[in-house]
Amino acid sequence: MSLKKKVSMTVNGVAVNAEIEPRRHLVDFLREDLHLKGPHLGCEQGACGACTVKVDGQIIRGCLYLAVQADGCVVETIEGLTKSGALAHLQESFMRHNAMQCGFCSSGMLLAAAELIEKQPKASREEVREWISGNYCRCTGYHSIVDAIVDVLEARAKGQKIKPVVAHA
Amino acid sequence: MNKPSDLKGLVLDPVTNDQRYIGNSEPRHSARRLLEGQGTYIDDIQLPRMGHVVFWRSPVAHMKIGKIHTEQASKMPGVLAIVDGVQMAKICKPWVATLGHLAGMKSAPQHALAIDRACWQGEPVVAVVAETRAQAEDALQLVDVEWEELPAVISMESALDPKTPLIHPELGDNLCFTRSLDVGNVDEAFATADVVAEATFGFGRHTGVTLEPRCQIADYNPGERRLTVYHSQQAPHMMQDLYCRQFGLSESDVHVICKDVGGSFGIKVHAYPDDFATVGLAMMLERPVKFVADRLESFTSDIHAREHRIKGRIAANKAGDILAFEIHDLTGIGPYSMFPRTSAIEGNQVVNLVGGPYKHQHYRAHLDVVFQNKTPTCQYRGVGHPIACAVTEGLVDLAAQKLQMDPLEFRKRNVIPDDAYPCSGISGIKLEVLSHEQCLRTIEKMMNYPALRKEQAELRKKGIYRGIGFATLIELTNPSPAFYGVGGARIASQDGASVRLDPSGVVSVLVGVGEQGQGTEGIYAQIAADAVGVSINQVRIVTGDTDVTPYGGGTWASRGAGVGGEAVLLACQALQENILKLAGAILNRPVAELSVHRSHVLDKATGEQLLPFSEIGRIGYFRTDTLPAGFSADLMVTRHYTQKDYPFIFTNGVQASYVEVDPDTGFVKLLKHWAVEDCGRVLNPMLVDEQVRGAIVQGIGGVLFEECLYDESGLLRNGSMADYLVPMANEMPDIEVAHVETPTQSSKLGAKGAGEAGTAGAPGAVQNAINDALLPFNTAVFDQPITCEKILRVLKKI
Ligand code: FES
Ligand code: FES
């Protein structure tokens, strides 16, 4: 069964060289071999979006994407994007609106939301709902997630920052 | 609108002497790590020497198991063991899930891995353990089970026919449980009524679809003879107890740990055959074994819920008074009653709750719970409430129509008045205090009802069919031991909290109820901060570990805030007393002269700061030599709480839905949804809002999309997330939430549960809205999920 292929890629800014079975999915490689906990497996069928990661700047479903396909690519997960601050405003806004409950969908949801903000900075509430419709959340009812994203869009349009949530002492 | 303080007259007295957090929309700071991809769910845990188990599951609804061939499979790379039911039964006892207080209830013994027969498609038969999951799956292909298909009982309608085969011949029939209730004089009420309306309500089976599938790691350490189970579960102590009893272990030998749980909704409060099998394998192999269900396994082996057919009728008089309800409920639960809560509870709730919000005096109900060869059903969010509510509210709308009364007016006239409590509902349920009248007034204002009716009428003239639907509801929360304890199930209705002042002044709180995303830990931090008198970032919450937390029941029946929260409050107030006692001893002053404010002990009279908590901690732990002889500082206290005043504390609320139905396509567009919820004292409005919204969307899933579809031979037809429709953001409406606060007097905190009422009310509200839109066509649909096809059928378009 084991016909391994050599691959190299950059994951969250770090060069990674590995030998991988061609059938191995990218998300399994990231989770099991690189011990990243951010991308989750909800369905393994491409339906839920929990496994969303970025490959060469595009969001993809890690459960449908083979790790060997990412050979030579730049892969980013929620961990790397958190560290670089790329998601900071969205994360603060999600905190403020309680736009997560169990958090299992959150990494995927945030990556989808970040792409929306880049591609459709003027999105309406309905367009936000439409955009995140590829990401399943069983807990929140979506309303608070939409609120959180809309807040970031509005703040950006006004050139404002989302203030960090701090514990009220 | 969402903050209680915005609602006039509802500002409650504070629970603590310096309340800062309780009642505020405090963000859950502990959730930040979830937004940074740093949660720890079961699948994130990898242990040394960990094996992975996959199951060969029955491919048909009912089969006789023949010879099992494993030779080929066991030679596959990485395979550690292949185990069948007979081998497993040597270490794991079978179980029978019945409750003593459900008179006459029966079920058959069930095994961790099926022996002789498998009774539903998806029942685990053979376990394959390998070093990696991929290797286990590769080997699984080569397991060869000889089997013979047996006749299957699929339809619940014919399950009790004498000609139908018996699933468990030793039980004598396919009836699990039956119950009849007859109160008042129902026949006379119907005979003398001015209007009688009736309908048959259908409810499709659905399931929880937690985004994180069911999963666990069992780790048996032979040196210590100790079993540790990492579990995505709602009730860790319950599982500890079950593992002890099924495997003959001592409680001191079993440790259950629940870290982050990726959604639960009742799906993860049951004990599954897979759970016991995984533990059994870890014990046999003396190494850790991980089980993570894939999505197809989730659909065929997570509990299902809510397959009911209910014939119902209502009687009313011309004046607009509801006189009586009568229902006949038939429900199918699969081949076994589920362990340990039993599958009869759902139907039992329907009997208890139909007609619940109203003051009628005549009620008759009959319930039959039957076995069938489908996935077992059991408690899922709302348990019986969505069914009872959709039936009640559907009948109420039919009666209002016949009387030509406005449905909201009709409800206002018939709900139990706010000043009538405490009282008993007609089914015998005890109601402490509810606020139906106030909730109805609130929702009317919130949705601007007259304007909406006007808009609806005008649009109707233009051929646009919109509908408004209401659902008034009651929901049981804060259960007492009368729920399971009296029936002999070892499920704790009490819960406990241990709280400790650490040397630096930080407050550590250990609680029996854990976190599955509701924000439970967040509200415990709020309660603890206020009750001890520290800032919220000085509080640390620990849950989900049977080795360290007080014994408790965990998360079910919306008890986290009302029962767990009360335990936290009591423990923290006791800690504050001990802090004052210690301060008195240090300062050599009477305790009555002291008080606590923001991590300091003060002179009560002058407000002067006398001692910071860090000093209390320093002396209490490191300089006890300076304290009076015989004085014990006791900076850790434990308190338990059981709600004993009522069998349950009921909450209430009302929801309204506004929809547009396209009569050409049958398509339903949800335009808006409103909810008014009375969960007693609101501890954190933002968290309650999200509970309500999330629950409503699950209810909407049930009424419009979700159904586990079976073919005639009992095979599940839609076992993937692409085929089983779940609500996504795009088709969901905005949901406005308001609160009425009627605290329960059964606790100091006054909190009632808030997790399920949303799911309870939404199906009734949406169903009624659709039928209101269909009114001009003189038709209605009462079969959930209400699909486009069903709408087109009642419109006679197909
Ligand atoms: S796990 Fe990849 S889309 Fe669901
Ligand atoms: S927060 Fe639980 S799935 Fe989205």
Side-chain angles (χ1 to χ4, degrees):
Chain A
M1 305 272 127
S2 148
L3 189 76
K4 295 198 172 173
K5 287 251 183 289
K6 278 206 170 112
V7 295
S8 41
M9 58 184 94
T10 309
V11 179
N12 295 332
V14 178
V16 172
N17 296 299
E19 283 195 23
I20 319 178
E21 281 184 43
R23 67 174 182 174
R24 194 159 182 73
H25 285 108
L26 179 59
V27 67
D28 291 330
F29 174 66
L30 296 171
R31 288 181 51 79
E32 290 170 15
D33 297 4
L34 304 188
H35 303 284
L36 290 165
K37 304 195 293 180
H40 297 138
L41 281 165
C43 67
E44 301 171 270
Q45 295 166 332
C48 76
C51 60
T52 304
V53 295
K54 264 179 148 183
V55 175
D56 284 349
Q58 293 276 327
I59 57 172
I60 57 106
R61 310 233 136 167
C63 71
L64 296 183
Y65 199 93
L66 297 171
V68 290
Q69 284 176 275
D71 191 19
C73 297
V74 173
V75 177
E76 290 163 288
T77 71
I78 182 90
E79 286 96 334
L81 294 164
T82 298
K83 215 165 172 194
S84 72
L87 299 173
H89 289 214
L90 276 168
Q91 284 163 325
E92 290 306 333
S93 193
F94 271 52
M95 273 297 285
R96 196 175 291 281
H97 289 277
N98 192 44
M100 95 253 68
Q101 286 185 14
C102 77
F104 206 75
C105 67
S106 302
S107 331
M109 203 58 99
L110 284 162
L111 262 64
E115 193 164 272
L116 161 77
I117 283 165
E118 248 166 58
K119 297 216 166 130
Q120 255 179 275
K122 293 206 178 101
S124 65
R125 198 170 170 87
E126 290 65 45
E127 285 165 335
V128 171
R129 280 193 177 274
E130 204 175 314
W131 185 279
I132 60 166
S133 278
N135 288 71
Y136 175 60
C137 176
R138 187 59 153 178
C139 302
T140 62
Y142 301 109
H143 188 113
S144 60
I145 298 178
V146 178
D147 283 349
I149 298 172
V150 167
D151 258 17
V152 174
L153 287 169
E154 282 174 0
R156 284 218 168 185
K158 289 189 213 137
Q160 295 167 348
K161 289 203 172 113
I162 299 279
K163 278 196 217 92
V165 176
V166 283
H168 112 233
Chain B
M1 197 74 193
N2 288 343
K3 280 203 202 100
S5 52
D6 295 346
L7 292 168
K8 275 202 198 87
L10 289 175
V11 183
L12 307 178
D13 293 337
V15 210
T16 65
N17 45 25
D18 181 20
Q19 192 164 313
R20 289 187 282 164
Y21 301 105
I22 295 174
N24 280 342
S25 287
E26 188 67 30
R28 300 154 53 200
H29 292 275
S30 59
R32 184 178 294 277
R33 68 200 165 79
L34 302 179
L35 293 171
E36 298 187 350
Q38 298 296 341
T40 303
Y41 304 90
I42 296 298
D43 199 32
D44 298 327
I45 302 171
Q46 301 189 22
L47 300 179
R49 293 182 70 242
M50 186 171 78
H52 297 256
V53 60
V54 298
F55 294 102
W56 190 94
R57 294 175 184 273
S58 172
V60 292
H62 198 187
M63 70 171 205
K64 189 167 168 37
I65 302 168
K67 210 167 163 347
I68 297 171
H69 303 276
T70 60
E71 307 74 30
Q72 291 291 320
S74 59
K75 283 187 210 127
M76 290 290 284
V79 171
L80 299 170
I82 302 183
V83 172
D84 64 20
V86 175
Q87 292 164 302
M88 184 59 72
K90 287 191 186 126
I91 65 163
C92 181
K93 294 187 204 106
W95 57 87
V96 177
T98 54
L99 285 172
H101 66 307
L102 300 181
M105 186 190 176
K106 55 188 196 258
S107 186
Q110 189 180 0
H111 290 269
L113 295 173
I115 300 174
D116 297 333
R117 282 183 315 136
C119 293
W120 82 90
Q121 181 204 16
E123 181 168 6
V125 178
V126 185
V128 178
V129 191
E131 278 163 16
T132 70
R133 180 156 161 202
Q135 287 172 330
E137 283 176 359
D138 287 343
L140 186 67
Q141 315 295 321
L142 300 178
V143 170
D144 183 14
V145 179
E146 289 179 18
W147 54 272
E148 184 190 316
E149 192 158 357
L150 295 173
V153 182
I154 306 307
S155 158
M156 57 184 190
E157 318 272 342
S158 58
L160 298 178
D161 288 356
K163 274 183 272 148
T164 303
L166 298 184
I167 298 179
H168 306 292
E170 70 277 18
L171 299 182
D173 54 27
N174 289 326
L175 185 67
C176 168
F177 177 61
T178 182
R179 181 183 168 198
S180 291
L181 194 70
D182 198 342
V183 193
N185 193 340
V186 176
D187 291 327
E188 195 190 309
F190 275 96
T192 57
D194 295 314
V195 296
V196 171
E198 61 178 58
T200 297
F201 298 82
F203 298 89
R205 273 184 169 236
H206 43 278
T207 183
V209 204
T210 57
L211 189 50
E212 179 206 42
R214 278 192 302 111
C215 48
Q216 68 176 153
I217 299 170
D219 182 9
Y220 186 72
N221 181 324
E224 295 178 314
R225 295 193 171 57
R226 199 148 201 268
L227 173 73
T228 303
V229 184
Y230 300 84
H231 211 161
S232 182
Q233 237 278 346
Q234 298 169 233
H237 286 104
M238 181 193 88
M239 291 312 296
Q240 179 194 27
D241 181 67
L242 293 179
Y243 291 139
C244 291
R245 291 191 299 142
Q246 296 317 118
F247 290 95
L249 300 167
S250 147
E251 229 152 46
S252 61
D253 292 338
V254 180
H255 181 192
V256 178
I257 301 170
C258 299
K259 299 210 167 225
D260 290 313
V261 172
S264 53
F265 320 119
I267 297 301
K268 295 176 182 170
V269 79
H270 310 290
Y272 290 83
D274 321 346
D275 298 336
F276 294 113
T278 306
V279 165
L281 292 164
M283 289 175 64
M284 286 178 194
L285 295 173
E286 300 192 339
R287 59 194 286 170
V289 176
K290 181 190 268 189
F291 166 68
V292 180
D294 70 21
R295 198 42 74 180
L296 174 62
E297 287 181 292
S298 302
F299 276 108
T300 59
S301 65
D302 285 5
I303 58 118
H304 292 178
R306 299 189 182 139
E307 182 174 9
H308 289 250
R309 204 213 51 217
I310 298 182
K311 283 193 192 139
R313 52 181 195 144
I314 184 172
N317 66 18
K318 263 197 216 115
D321 299 314
I322 297 174
L323 305 174
F325 282 93
E326 179 171 11
I327 60 154
H328 190 299
D329 180 4
L330 173 66
T331 175
I333 58 159
Y336 298 100
S337 167
M338 191 76 189
F339 198 43
R341 282 160 203 269
T342 87
S343 308
I345 291 282
E346 187 185 74
N348 200 48
Q349 296 288 39
V350 173
V351 171
N352 286 338
L353 296 170
V354 163
Y358 301 104
K359 58 187 177 197
H360 63 105
Q361 286 304 310
H362 310 278
Y363 177 45
R364 183 186 291 146
H366 182 78
L367 165 71
D368 283 321
V369 180
V370 302
F371 294 114
Q372 45 180 186
N373 292 108
K374 292 179 177 176
T375 301
T377 71
C378 207
Q379 283 90 309
Y380 163 56
R381 197 174 199 170
V383 199
H385 293 67
I387 295 154
C389 180
V391 169
T392 306
E393 295 299 287
L395 291 171
V396 164
D397 266 21
L398 286 175
Q401 270 165 36
K402 284 206 169 174
L403 290 163
Q404 299 197 326
M405 275 184 79
D406 177 88
L408 186 60
E409 279 313 308
F410 188 58
R411 284 178 173 81
K412 281 187 184 166
R413 186 181 171 92
N414 282 288
V415 288
I416 302 175
D418 292 359
D419 60 7
Y421 301 98
C423 65
S424 284
I426 194 68
S427 68
I429 51 177
K430 299 215 163 35
L431 305 169
E432 183 205 11
V433 58
L434 303 173
S435 59
H436 289 303
E437 292 178 316
Q438 199 182 341
C439 286
L440 287 168
R441 282 196 300 271
T442 308
I443 205 159
E444 181 172 19
K445 244 202 245 155
M446 212 176 148
M447 63 197 284
N448 200 351
Y449 185 54
L452 213 60
R453 279 286 178 213
K454 225 171 118 204
E455 178 182 282
Q456 178 194 29
E458 271 157 26
L459 289 171
R460 202 172 273 180
K461 283 183 221 144
K462 296 188 200 151
I464 294 170
Y465 297 93
R466 291 191 171 180
I468 301 165
F470 292 99
T472 303
L473 66 101
I474 55 172
E475 189 217 333
L476 70 84
T477 71
N478 298 9
S480 77
F483 202 96
Y484 289 115
V486 292
R490 294 161 66 95
I491 297 168
S493 56
Q494 65 78 39
D495 233 285
S498 292
V499 33
R500 183 176 81 200
L501 184 77
D502 288 338
S504 63
V506 163
V507 174
S508 293
V509 190
L510 291 73
V511 199
V513 184
E515 172 73 87
Q516 295 89 36
Q518 299 92 325
T520 313
E521 292 185 348
I523 57 161
Y524 293 163
Q526 290 177 273
I527 296 167
D530 281 351
V532 183
V534 297
S535 98
I536 201 161
N537 43 31
Q538 296 279 93
V539 177
R540 190 172 68 101
I541 306 288
V542 179
T543 63
D545 188 326
T546 59
D547 265 9
V548 298
T549 67
Y551 206 90
T555 310
W556 52 275
S558 290
R559 63 191 293 286
V563 177
E566 182 73 2
V568 172
L569 178 71
L570 297 176
C572 290
Q573 288 185 327
L575 178 65
Q576 193 190 59
E577 275 174 35
N578 287 2
I579 289 172
L580 287 173
K581 270 185 223 156
L582 177 55
I586 297 169
L587 299 165
N588 202 9
R589 285 183 60 169
V591 173
E593 289 178 11
L594 307 174
S595 66
V596 163
H597 185 68
R598 318 255 155 129
S599 293
H600 281 85
V601 174
L602 311 182
D603 181 319
K604 206 181 209 168
T606 65
E608 184 199 346
Q609 291 191 347
L610 303 175
L611 279 176
F613 280 11
S614 53
E615 189 58 10
I616 302 267
R618 187 185 70 82
I619 298 174
Y621 290 114
F622 309 128
R623 292 307 308 270
T624 42
D625 57 314
T626 64
L627 297 172
F631 184 90
S632 170
D634 294 339
L635 291 177
M636 180 161 188
V637 292
T638 299
R639 289 292 180 275
H640 291 267
Y641 174 68
T642 315
Q643 188 283 110
K644 280 194 251 175
D645 293 353
Y646 293 84
F648 331 102
I649 299 300
F650 276 93
T651 70
N652 68 287
V654 55
Q655 292 182 30
S657 169
Y658 192 38
V659 307
E660 187 172 310
V661 178
D662 180 342
D664 295 323
T665 61
F667 189 80
V668 176
K669 188 169 168 51
L670 299 166
L671 301 168
K672 185 96 189 187
H673 203 98
W674 298 266
V676 182
E677 161 103 355
D678 184 348
C679 60
R681 184 185 296 274
V682 173
L683 303 173
N684 182 322
M686 175 168 75
L687 295 187
V688 177
D689 288 357
E690 279 319 301
Q691 280 299 301
V692 173
R693 290 189 175 117
I696 285 173
V697 166
Q698 264 178 357
I700 291 174
V703 61
L704 288 182
F705 308 109
E706 298 183 39
E707 185 170 19
C708 303
L709 295 163
Y710 283 85
D711 68 13
E712 314 77 67
S713 60
L715 297 185
L716 187 69
R717 280 163 39 199
N718 56 345
S720 82
M721 266 165 91
D723 301 316
Y724 178 99
L725 300 182
V726 285
M728 300 302 276
N730 199 18
E731 58 262 15
M732 288 303 105
D734 278 342
I735 300 168
E736 238 180 82
V737 184
H739 305 284
V740 169
E741 290 186 275
T742 315
T744 168
Q745 303 298 310
S746 63
S747 68
K748 283 193 188 175
L749 198 56
K752 307 175 185 176
E756 303 172 89
T759 307
V766 173
Q767 164 197 276
N768 284 352
I770 292 171
N771 288 334
D772 186 42
L774 293 175
L775 212 52
F777 303 96
N778 215 355
T779 188
V781 47
F782 295 105
D783 191 13
Q784 300 184 13
I786 301 176
T787 57
C788 301
E789 185 188 327
K790 287 177 189 167
I791 291 174
L792 291 176
R793 274 189 204 289
V794 299
L795 287 170
K796 308 233 164 19
K797 298 260 168 96
I798 54 171

